[in-house]
């Protein structure tokens, strides 16, 4: 097999993408992409959260989750849309993992932010507990457990990323000398996210 990089280079770039390293980079990238001052600052009310979610889900404009048509009317009843083509009604969460739970979008975005803030410390803390998430949002443990499961699936390396894209709104730039997916990439992100790592241990 031909080696494009010459005989001296035995390291394929993909070798650096160990699953744990890739996951660590993924977690830190999400953390650093959260808005300054958090979601409560960037999206202070239910309407702004709803608008952000709709724009994230349908960046080209709302389309029907049933027939994909774009002739959509917003119904006077709050949060409801109507497809003029197939005549189905739907909401911003119809057809997504969030829909069945019937919880407000604002709560989803705040919960996603909380999970992201805890994820890089996963190996130390095990991530945010269901009880902590529940008391943060004012929901029962059962609802918090369901939310955490859905959010974790969305945020995973292979996840759909709808909630991730809704809350991770800052662009991260990487210096050109850093190869994405390498240990140096991870270390750079960790230094930005935790400039005082010793404080994590106290
Ligand atoms: Zn339709």
């Amino acid at each position: 097999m031909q080696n494009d990089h010459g005989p001296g280079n035995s390291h394929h770039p993909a070798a650096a993408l160990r699953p744990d390293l890739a996951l660590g980079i993924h977690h830190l990238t999400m953390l650093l992409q959260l808005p300054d001052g958090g979601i409560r600052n960037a999206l202070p009310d239910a309407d702004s959260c709803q608008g952000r979610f709709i724009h994230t889900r349908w960046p080209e404009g709302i389309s029907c989750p049933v027939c994909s048509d774009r002739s959509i009317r917003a119904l006077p009843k709050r949060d409801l849309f109507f497809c003029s083509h197939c005549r189905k009604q739907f909401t911003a969460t119809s057809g997504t993992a969030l829909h069945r739970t019937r919880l407000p979008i604002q709560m989803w975005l705040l919960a996603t932010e909380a999970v992201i803030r805890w994820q890089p410390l996963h190996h130390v803390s095990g991530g945010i507990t269901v009880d902590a998430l529940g008391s943060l949002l004012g929901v029962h443990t059962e609802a918090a457990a369901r939310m955490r499961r859905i959010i974790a699936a969305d945020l995973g390396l292979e996840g759909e990323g709808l909630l991730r894209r809704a809350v991770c709104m800052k662009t991260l730039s990487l210096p050109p000398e850093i190869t994405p997916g390498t240990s140096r990439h991870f270390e750079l992100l960790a230094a930005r996210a935790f400039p005082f790592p010793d404080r994590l241990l106290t």
Side-chain angles (χ1 to χ4, degrees):
M1 199 175 163
Q2 198 175 347
N3 186 342
D4 292 333
H5 301 288
N9 188 348
S10 60
H11 295 285
H12 189 278
L17 279 170
R18 299 193 311 266
D20 56 339
L21 186 60
L23 197 59
I25 289 169
H26 185 58
H27 287 168
L28 287 170
T29 300
M30 287 190 275
L31 177 66
L32 290 164
Q33 286 179 326
L34 291 174
D36 296 326
I39 292 297
R40 280 189 198 281
N41 180 56
L43 305 168
D45 52 33
D47 282 350
S48 53
C49 287
Q50 170 99 354
R52 173 71 190 175
F53 184 85
I54 289 171
H55 180 73
T56 306
R57 183 175 182 192
W58 293 293
E60 325 268 300
I62 299 173
S63 64
C64 174
V66 179
C67 74
S68 304
D69 200 87
R70 285 179 191 269
S71 36
I72 305 299
R73 278 194 297 127
L75 293 179
K77 187 177 177 248
R78 210 169 161 269
D79 301 343
L80 210 53
F81 302 107
F82 174 77
C83 174
S84 305
H85 185 249
C86 74
R87 311 193 69 78
K88 287 276 195 312
Q89 288 184 4
F90 59 94
T91 70
T93 59
S94 294
T96 74
L98 282 54
H99 189 61
R100 262 183 325 112
T101 64
R102 299 184 183 282
L103 291 165
I105 287 174
Q106 185 174 27
M107 200 176 272
W108 280 104
L109 300 193
L110 291 170
T112 302
E113 177 185 38
V115 171
I116 288 174
R117 289 201 187 282
W118 279 80
Q119 261 177 344
L121 303 171
H122 182 259
H123 297 296
V124 185
S125 67
I128 192 166
T129 65
V130 164
D131 286 340
L133 190 60
S135 65
L136 180 80
L137 302 168
V139 299
H140 288 294
T141 306
E142 201 179 302
R146 202 181 314 128
M147 288 181 92
R148 196 178 65 163
R149 201 162 51 238
I150 291 170
I151 291 167
D154 181 274
L155 297 181
L157 278 170
E158 308 290 331
E160 192 188 354
L162 179 59
L163 288 166
R164 173 175 56 77
R165 282 176 280 122
V167 303
C168 295
M169 50 182 83
K170 268 168 65 182
T171 308
L172 266 197
S173 60
L174 201 59
E177 68 271 21
I178 302 287
T179 308
T182 58
S183 303
R184 284 193 65 203
H185 183 191
F186 177 83
E187 284 155 17
L188 177 86
L189 298 179
R192 281 189 196 169
F194 303 109
F196 309 105
D198 49 323
R199 288 190 192 167
L200 294 175
L201 303 172
T202 56

